[in-house]
Amino acid sequence: MKHRPIMTRRRLLKGALGGASLAVLAGCDNVTRNSWLSRLLQNTERLTGAVQRAVVPASALAKEYGESDISAVFPANGNTDPGTADYAAKAENGFAGWNLLIDGLVTTPMLISPAAIKEMPARTQITRHDCVEGWSAIGKWTGVPLGDLMHKVQPLLNARYAVFHCADVDDEGVPYYESIAIADCYHPQTILAYELNGRSLDVPHGAPLRLRFERQLGYKQAKYIERIELVESLSGIAGGKGGYWEDQGYEWYAGI
Ligand SMILES: Nc1nc2c(c(=O)[nH]1)N[C@H]1C(S)=C(S)[C@@H](COP(=O)(O)O)O[C@H]1N2
Ligand SMILES: [Mo]
């Protein structure tokens, strides 16, 4: 994957501490190995999340833009093709053979095809995507509100997180995954998107289904989703921190 943890750490650091502090660190490529600094950074990140949770209501909407604001090019980043024979065969077939599984702590587990999802009421939103690697892009996303799918499966009372399992793996075979709080599944701008800028989602941008969770950073926007698992705790899943990048030290609460 392109994202290098150290470099992105430094970008997060820039955001957290500001340009002046970054200048002091310029040329230091071992910032993440420097223990006082990484402790400070982690505390700063935690503080940012805590402050945001305190001052921004969970229901607040991310800014939405107009058609004229849409970026001419929306970069594709991270994995841009799951690359397996199975995925290629399904992509070739317009994802007719794809099924999204929603299971775990739900009353009614469900298997649903992208075609059936497209028949449900849709939401379209023009929003800005911010990647920690230092780029942003404005795109128009169309998809099904995740809350509508939650109403179908009915989460059990002890479900606390939705975990998004993706079809792609990194160079070492580690699968991509992400997670958000159940309450955030019902946020009006949390959608499972199947269109970007009025066209069917292409492979680089996460076909056939990808998450848009607009008040958080790019790495939360899971692509190639094949399973949504509702759980009470994230500790039993992969590295236990709730996401592919979180397992490598990123914040789970990636608020913008
Ligand atoms: N399955 C999967 N989802 C992913 C990634 C990935 O590598 N695999 N990369 C993340 C990162 S870091 C970013 S910035 C966005 C990029 O989305 P895009 O390719 O549509 O620009 O997807 C996120 N979701
Ligand atoms: Mo990213």
Side-chain angles (χ1 to χ4, degrees), residues 3 74-77 79 129 135 166 168 176 205 210 218 221 223:
H3 241 106
F74 197 110
N77 199 46
N79 287 333
H129 174 110
W135 61 272
C166 305
D168 55 317
Y176 201 95
H205 293 97
R210 68 99 48 89
Q221 322 298 326
K223 308 193 276 190

Side-chain angles (χ1 to χ4, degrees), residues 219-240:
Y219 61 87
K220 299 298 285 190
Q221 322 298 326
K223 308 193 276 190
Y224 318 115
I225 299 170
E226 50 186 12
R227 179 180 176 208
I228 304 177
E229 181 189 11
L230 274 58
V231 299
E232 185 165 12
S233 161
L234 298 170
S235 64
I237 295 163

